[in-house]
Amino acid sequence: MPLALLALAISAFGIGTTEFVMMGLLPNVARDMGTSVPTAGYLVSAYAIGVVIGAPLLTAFGARTPRKRMLVLLMALFTVGNLASALAPNYAALLAGRVLAGLPHGAFFGVGAVVAARLVTEDRRARAVATMFLGLTVANIVGVPAGTAIGQALGWRATFVVVSAIGLLAMVTLAALVPEMTAEQRTGLRQEVRALGDRQVILGLLTAVFGFGGVFAVYSYLASIMTEVTGLAESSVTVVLALFGIGMTLGALVAGPLTDRALRPTLYGGLGALAVAMVTFHAVVDIKWAAMVMVVVLGGLGFMTTTPLQMLIMQKARQAPTLASAGNQSAFNLANAGGAWLGGAAVAAGWGWTSPMLVGVVLALAGLGIAVLAGVLDGAPTLSRSRIVARGGVPGLRRARAAESVTG
């Protein structure tokens, strides 16, 4: 694999750390800011909202910017956002800092996925994209537990200072290792927007919103579930988050080769198994060893959906993949925000800390249904132009046939 993938993975590591570490810090932030854990959970949603807003806007603004320079600029904005979070004087300022830190997320992964795919041959593109996402999963093994431990020992602000340092390192490695790609073909914004409107692209985005929303409905409150229901000590939260990260890494490693061989079956299998896993987790959550095993399984199955969805979007928007790829990250983070909100709403309604798991089951099954519908529509036979004309045609084709008779 090219060294440039290492730079992308380091950047993904920093992004993954700041995105997911807030889940482990929610109790600490809530105490420091004088609010409840469900209210502090809106900090998870704030980051995700930043991603949803930033992905299309920043991708559009950078449509003509060389991809290497765009990646470096996005990581610079990421670093500033995390510094703002570290220095936030109150809850409102922290919300704003989280939105700012989230703005470059979707655009970075959108551009990065296109760059990663073009660094290798076509039969290894899913593996290249999965390698970039490995940085995101390793963040959950190392970055998130370490960030949580730092936050518990030195205060949550110290965590975001460290993440800012990772952002600076990412900028240096991107500048040093990513090639200029001077021969790449650039597409106009209009073409990118047109590709984003493709029916299969839209269904892929909806699959991400619902399917991955199921993961975040549970993961956003995993620390509280494991301490309040399973009975683990608060000091064990870092271990739980590391287990989830191990599962994510295993899922990413498996998803790359499987997606290169059979994209849609990998997606269907991941979403279906995810729903089953959350039902199982709900049933065994009060058994410590079983609950910890299910944390690994949940992370693995949840992340098995990311690579096939990313590749599906890029394939269906082949002529203009950057905005669609970034839009996919918006979809994932809309899932993040929506899942966290729905899971928190279930808890706030008095349904208990295990209720987010049942919310997750419903969302995962909805995602599976949309994915299957997209597969059926994608494989449905379509009439060729000649057959439509033979049947009398639609008005546009009648005009085309008339024009051809005149010019012919």
Side-chain angles (χ1 to χ4, degrees), residues 218 221-234 237 240 280-292 295 347 350-357:
V218 179
Y221 302 97
L222 192 57
S224 296
I225 291 170
M226 298 300 283
T227 55
E228 299 293 333
V229 182
T230 307
L232 297 180
E234 186 174 303
V237 170
V240 172
T280 305
F281 196 3
H282 185 274
V284 302
V285 67
D286 56 346
I287 304 173
K288 291 182 180 179
W289 69 267
M292 296 179 80
V295 168
V347 174
W351 297 347
W353 285 110
T354 59
S355 60
M357 299 177 189

Side-chain angles (χ1 to χ4, degrees), residues 348-375:
W351 297 347
W353 285 110
T354 59
S355 60
M357 299 177 189
L358 301 181
V359 172
V361 172
V362 174
L363 292 174
L365 290 176
L368 176 60
I370 295 169
V372 171
L373 172 63

Side-chain angles (χ1 to χ4, degrees), residues 291-371:
M292 296 179 80
V293 169
M294 292 311 301
V295 168
V296 178
V297 174
L298 182 64
L301 293 175
F303 218 76
M304 272 190 68
T305 64
T306 58
T307 299
L309 276 171
Q310 188 74 32
M311 295 307 299
L312 177 65
I313 296 297
M314 291 169 64
Q315 284 182 13
K316 298 306 177 183
R318 183 179 296 273
Q319 300 305 315
T322 307
L323 185 57
S325 182
N328 194 41
Q329 295 305 311
S330 289
F332 278 127
N333 281 271
L334 189 58
N336 183 336
W341 181 79
L342 289 172
V347 174
W351 297 347
W353 285 110
T354 59
S355 60
M357 299 177 189
L358 301 181
V359 172
V361 172
V362 174
L363 292 174
L365 290 176
L368 176 60
I370 295 169

Side-chain angles (χ1 to χ4, degrees), residues 155-184:
W156 58 267
R157 297 178 189 276
T159 300
F160 292 106
V161 172
V162 172
V163 173
S164 300
I166 296 172
L168 290 174
L169 174 63
M171 291 169 62
V172 172
T173 56
L174 288 169
L177 299 178
V178 174
E180 290 292 347
M181 294 188 170
T182 53
E184 64 179 345

Side-chain angles (χ1 to χ4, degrees), residues 75-326:
M75 286 309 297
L77 180 58
F78 166 85
T79 303
V80 171
N82 280 283
L83 279 174
S85 298
L87 299 174
N90 52 47
Y91 180 74
L94 181 55
L95 275 173
R98 290 291 288 171
V99 172
L100 183 61
L103 287 175
H105 177 128
F108 182 89
F109 279 116
V111 176
V114 174
V115 170
R118 292 183 180 177
L119 289 170
V120 297
T121 57
E122 188 168 356
D123 63 327
R124 299 183 65 83
R125 286 181 174 175
R127 271 166 278 198
V129 172
T131 298
M132 178 185 69
F133 282 123
L134 274 176
L136 197 66
T137 66
V138 172
N140 282 270
I141 300 175
V142 180
V144 173
T148 302
I150 290 171
Q152 290 173 345
L154 303 176
W156 58 267
R157 297 178 189 276
T159 300
F160 292 106
V161 172
V162 172
V163 173
S164 300
I166 296 172
L168 290 174
L169 174 63
M171 291 169 62
V172 172
T173 56
L174 288 169
L177 299 178
V178 174
E180 290 292 347
M181 294 188 170
T182 53
E184 64 179 345
Q185 289 187 340
R186 306 296 292 164
T187 55
L189 181 59
R190 184 175 299 178
Q191 187 176 355
E192 293 277 359
V193 172
R194 189 181 304 120
L196 191 62
D198 180 86
R199 181 178 66 183
Q200 285 295 318
V201 172
I202 292 172
L203 288 173
L205 296 177
L206 287 174
T207 301
V209 169
F210 284 92
F212 212 63
V215 178
F216 274 97
V218 179
Y219 185 67
S220 298
Y221 302 97
L222 192 57
S224 296
I225 291 170
M226 298 300 283
T227 55
E228 299 293 333
V229 182
T230 307
L232 297 180
E234 186 174 303
S235 59
S236 301
V237 170
T238 55
V239 176
V240 172
L241 297 177
L243 289 174
F244 190 89
I246 290 171
M248 291 176 69
T249 302
L250 293 175
L253 288 171
V254 171
L258 286 179
T259 302
D260 276 327
R261 294 179 184 177
L263 192 155
R264 287 197 187 274
T266 301
L267 179 58
Y268 299 157
L271 289 171
L274 179 62
V276 173
M278 284 188 283
V279 171
T280 305
F281 196 3
H282 185 274
V284 302
V285 67
D286 56 346
I287 304 173
K288 291 182 180 179
W289 69 267
M292 296 179 80
V293 169
M294 292 311 301
V295 168
V296 178
V297 174
L298 182 64
L301 293 175
F303 218 76
M304 272 190 68
T305 64
T306 58
T307 299
L309 276 171
Q310 188 74 32
M311 295 307 299
L312 177 65
I313 296 297
M314 291 169 64
Q315 284 182 13
K316 298 306 177 183
R318 183 179 296 273
Q319 300 305 315
T322 307
L323 185 57
S325 182

